[in-house]
Amino acid sequence: MVFHWFPVIGSTITYGINPIQFFFECREKYGDVFSFVLAGRTVTVTLGAKGNNFVLGGKTSHISAEDVYTNLTTPVFGKGVVYDCPNSTLMEQKKFVKFGLTVENFRYYTHVIADEVEKFLQTHECFKTYRDNANSSDAWGSFPAFQTMSELIIYTASRSLQGEEIRAAVDGSFADIYHDLDGGFKPINLLLPGLPLPMNIKRDKAQKKMSDFYVGIIEKRRAQGEQKEIDMLASLMGQRYRNGRTLSDREIAHIMIALLMAGQHTSSATSSWALVHLAARPDVWQTLYEEQVQNFSNGDGTFREIEYEDLCNLPILDSVIRETLRMHPPIHSILRQVKDDLVVPPTLATSRGGKPKSEDNTYIIPKGHLILASPAVSQLDPDIWKNANIWEPSRWSDPEGVAAQALDQYENGSEKVDYGFGAVSKGTSSPYSPFGAGRHRCIGEQFAYVQLGTVIANLVRKLEIKINCVPPHNYRTMIVVPETPDDISYRRRV
């Protein structure tokens, strides 16, 4: 047990200020397995690749994600989906979502995302300098990284995944509803659910409005008969559970809300981190630009449009995204609740100098306690990664390097498992797992690469950027984002 002065508070404050630093400091004292008190709950942390595998690869008969997260997600996403249903149902819902993430869809999404980036540069107030200096690269403007990328990401996500009706509404009252709904997605609701806080009252009203909004679109589409939309909504409307039951309109609405909220948060954070690092490394930004020129230049200063298949053949762009995810995985702590007394394997308990106190050389985690994995610790471990705290995309270009080996283990591990949404690499033992691993691995992983790659590639064609320094982490939010100020200076390429 990590030492603390106050019984209920425990290590809550220290953990909340900087969880990664807290984990590394505790690991030096206690090894890879230790427990701490978080707002009155006992949390057992298991670090390293073995620790990740213990939590992320755990059986549903032993541990539960639903019991941890439903109080946070259900009031936001809605009833009957994600963590407000049996795990087997969630796996079927992930399969339904996967049907909307086909190659055909990705080809379409790539084009509409590029179109949204161009519209954003032509209309957003932060890019007035860009518009007013069409023939000059002397004038510099600026934009706040996270705030600006959050807006751009919701436009690209709503236009591609969500559908034209949702994209058309984002600029209007939908934005206010989204803001109120997002306001309830806070860490306090994970630890202390059900508090009658003003933000939660607004959240509950917004959830109903947004759910009704989606149901209205679904009903309108059904009334119009067969449509040819290429979006997630169209895909979900044709799905059935294994028992033959169709998805209800309300279930579809709630899955769509979950996709919008989850994808917007994570991609906004990752794109923001990528841009602030690129702004601090003009050499990498220039190399990215040269990659675009080499592959897409028309020879007259213009570029041909990026196709989905192109994104698989841009190694520098790919390295930038992977390195950003290594240093800044959106979620630093992954929790599960123990359903029955759980034995920690001796090899995990004794790693890094840990010393089990029981005579039979085992730890027991009691029923009702929480367990926590932090892939972020593995991804920043100096024992694994050279210069672990330095953002260096070139590490991914070495086919024999640690990064390539970790990626191969994550994506092509020897153990393939079908949890109900298609066979995937289990990936739970890799020191690199930015999208989680096991049965709860993010189903939107491939779309995230399409979205991030298309956004960054189109921005590098248009802008030069710089920043004084990379801002520190803001750990006060559910998703780790850059602390403000995070202003990036830009000028137009001519």
Side-chain angles (χ1 to χ4, degrees), residues 329-373:
I331 299 175
H332 57 73
S333 300
I334 299 176
L335 292 162
R336 301 287 185 263
Q337 183 162 308
V338 178
K339 299 170 72 171
D340 203 354
D341 289 359
L342 193 61
V343 177
V344 179
T347 55
L348 172 58
T350 57
S351 61
R352 294 190 179 274
K355 298 177 181 179
K357 297 182 176 64
S358 60
E359 293 182 0
D360 60 354
N361 204 40
T362 58
Y363 280 122
I364 302 295
I365 305 175
K367 175 182 178 180
H369 283 208
L370 299 178
I371 54 175
L372 183 154

Side-chain angles (χ1 to χ4, degrees), residues 167-480:
R167 173 63 185 92
V170 166
D171 293 322
S173 58
F174 186 91
D176 294 329
I177 298 173
Y178 178 88
H179 182 268
D180 287 345
L181 189 59
D182 187 46
F185 204 73
K186 295 291 187 291
I188 190 173
N189 285 326
L190 180 65
L191 301 173
L192 300 170
L195 295 177
L197 301 172
M199 67 178 187
N200 289 343
I201 295 172
K202 289 182 178 180
R203 173 203 64 192
D204 295 343
K205 292 180 179 179
Q207 202 287 324
K208 185 179 186 308
K209 289 180 181 178
M210 188 172 285
S211 180
D212 290 344
F213 172 76
Y214 277 105
V215 169
I217 293 174
I218 295 167
E219 291 175 345
K220 184 177 180 179
R221 285 197 182 186
R222 292 194 192 282
Q224 292 173 342
E226 184 176 352
Q227 301 294 312
K228 296 183 179 180
E229 288 90 348
I230 302 177
D231 54 42
M232 187 62 66
L233 193 60
S235 177
L236 290 174
M237 288 172 64
Q239 304 302 325
R240 290 177 178 270
Y241 288 103
R242 282 195 292 266
N243 63 9
R245 181 175 72 83
T246 58
L247 276 164
S248 71
D249 290 355
R250 195 63 67 174
E251 283 177 306
I252 296 172
H254 293 170
I255 291 174
M256 294 296 290
I257 293 172
L259 288 172
L260 180 65
M261 298 292 293
Q264 198 275 339
H265 280 122
T266 53
S267 292
S268 296
T270 303
S271 59
S272 302
W273 283 117
L275 284 187
V276 296
H277 278 291
L278 286 164
R281 288 286 304 273
D283 58 320
V284 180
W285 187 249
Q286 181 61 25
T287 305
L288 268 180
Y289 179 70
E290 291 169 359
E291 184 177 59
Q292 290 294 305
V293 172
Q294 180 180 350
N295 288 277
F296 304 104
S297 175
N298 292 321
D300 59 357
T302 63
F303 296 86
R304 74 169 175 85
E305 194 169 359
I306 297 173
E307 303 292 338
Y308 165 66
E309 284 77 8
D310 293 325
L311 294 172
C312 302
N313 298 299
L314 299 171
I316 299 171
L317 178 62
D318 183 71
S319 295
V320 164
I321 296 172
R322 295 195 187 281
E323 179 68 352
T324 303
L325 287 166
R326 181 191 70 83
M327 286 197 68
H328 308 284
I331 299 175
H332 57 73
S333 300
I334 299 176
L335 292 162
R336 301 287 185 263
Q337 183 162 308
V338 178
K339 299 170 72 171
D340 203 354
D341 289 359
L342 193 61
V343 177
V344 179
T347 55
L348 172 58
T350 57
S351 61
R352 294 190 179 274
K355 298 177 181 179
K357 297 182 176 64
S358 60
E359 293 182 0
D360 60 354
N361 204 40
T362 58
Y363 280 122
I364 302 295
I365 305 175
K367 175 182 178 180
H369 283 208
L370 299 178
I371 54 175
L372 183 154
S374 181
V377 170
S378 300
Q379 293 177 193
L380 293 170
D381 191 340
D383 292 341
I384 298 174
W385 308 87
K386 182 180 179 180
N387 298 321
N389 289 310
I390 295 178
W391 186 82
E392 186 49 71
S394 63
R395 74 173 77 241
W396 296 91
S397 62
D398 179 2
E400 304 298 326
V402 169
Q405 294 174 21
L407 180 61
D408 183 65
Q409 189 176 7
Y410 184 54
E411 294 188 341
N412 306 301
S414 59
E415 186 175 2
K416 296 280 186 177
V417 182
D418 188 347
Y419 298 102
F421 55 90
V424 295
S425 170
K426 191 176 179 182
T428 52
S429 296
S430 173
Y432 177 76
S433 51
F435 290 92
R439 67 176 53 248
H440 290 289
R441 184 165 174 165
C442 177
I443 194 69
E445 181 175 351
Q446 193 172 0
F447 173 77
Y449 282 110
V450 172
Q451 184 181 38
L452 292 167
T454 306
V455 167
I456 294 171
N458 280 276
L459 288 177
V460 78
R461 294 177 172 191
K462 307 286 187 179
L463 306 174
E464 293 182 42
I465 59 176
K466 64 181 181 180
I467 195 171
N468 291 330
C469 63
V470 175
H473 295 81
N474 177 2
Y475 290 112
R476 298 184 300 277
T477 55
M478 283 298 301
I479 304 298
V480 183

Side-chain angles (χ1 to χ4, degrees), residues 27-256:
R27 188 178 71 167
E28 288 301 311
K29 295 179 182 178
Y30 309 109
D32 276 341
V33 181
F34 53 88
S35 298
F36 73 99
V37 173
L38 177 65
R41 300 289 301 273
T42 300
V43 181
T44 295
V45 180
T46 62
L47 299 177
K50 293 179 181 178
N52 294 341
N53 182 58
F54 179 70
V55 175
L56 303 181
K59 297 180 179 179
T60 55
S61 58
H62 298 159
I63 60 175
S64 168
E66 293 84 352
D67 291 341
V68 177
Y69 291 114
T70 186
N71 290 323
L72 173 69
T73 60
T74 301
V76 176
F77 301 161
K79 295 284 187 180
V81 303
V82 191
Y83 294 122
D84 190 57
C85 60
N87 187 266
S88 58
T89 303
L90 171 58
M91 296 302 106
E92 287 197 73
Q93 292 173 355
K94 292 180 73 171
K95 180 181 68 175
F96 299 152
V97 171
K98 192 173 182 179
F99 287 142
L101 299 173
T102 63
V103 170
E104 179 187 6
N105 285 31
F106 285 144
R107 288 172 179 153
Y108 171 72
Y109 296 162
T110 303
H111 290 291
V112 299
I113 291 170
D115 185 56
E116 284 295 330
V117 173
E118 180 60 29
K119 287 181 179 178
F120 195 73
L121 291 172
Q122 295 298 336
T123 59
H124 196 277
E125 59 183 10
C126 285
F127 293 101
K128 186 177 186 300
T129 302
Y130 171 85
R131 295 189 296 275
D132 291 348
N133 294 273
N135 299 311
S136 172
S137 62
D138 294 333
W140 287 85
S142 68
F143 61 90
F146 179 66
Q147 178 183 335
T148 305
M149 295 311 296
S150 292
E151 292 183 50
L152 176 56
I153 291 299
I154 198 170
Y155 292 149
T156 59
S158 60
R159 172 88 179 276
S160 54
L161 280 180
Q162 300 277 311
E164 294 289 347
E165 303 99 326
I166 290 85
R167 173 63 185 92
V170 166
D171 293 322
S173 58
F174 186 91
D176 294 329
I177 298 173
Y178 178 88
H179 182 268
D180 287 345
L181 189 59
D182 187 46
F185 204 73
K186 295 291 187 291
I188 190 173
N189 285 326
L190 180 65
L191 301 173
L192 300 170
L195 295 177
L197 301 172
M199 67 178 187
N200 289 343
I201 295 172
K202 289 182 178 180
R203 173 203 64 192
D204 295 343
K205 292 180 179 179
Q207 202 287 324
K208 185 179 186 308
K209 289 180 181 178
M210 188 172 285
S211 180
D212 290 344
F213 172 76
Y214 277 105
V215 169
I217 293 174
I218 295 167
E219 291 175 345
K220 184 177 180 179
R221 285 197 182 186
R222 292 194 192 282
Q224 292 173 342
E226 184 176 352
Q227 301 294 312
K228 296 183 179 180
E229 288 90 348
I230 302 177
D231 54 42
M232 187 62 66
L233 193 60
S235 177
L236 290 174
M237 288 172 64
Q239 304 302 325
R240 290 177 178 270
Y241 288 103
R242 282 195 292 266
N243 63 9
R245 181 175 72 83
T246 58
L247 276 164
S248 71
D249 290 355
R250 195 63 67 174
E251 283 177 306
I252 296 172
H254 293 170
I255 291 174
M256 294 296 290

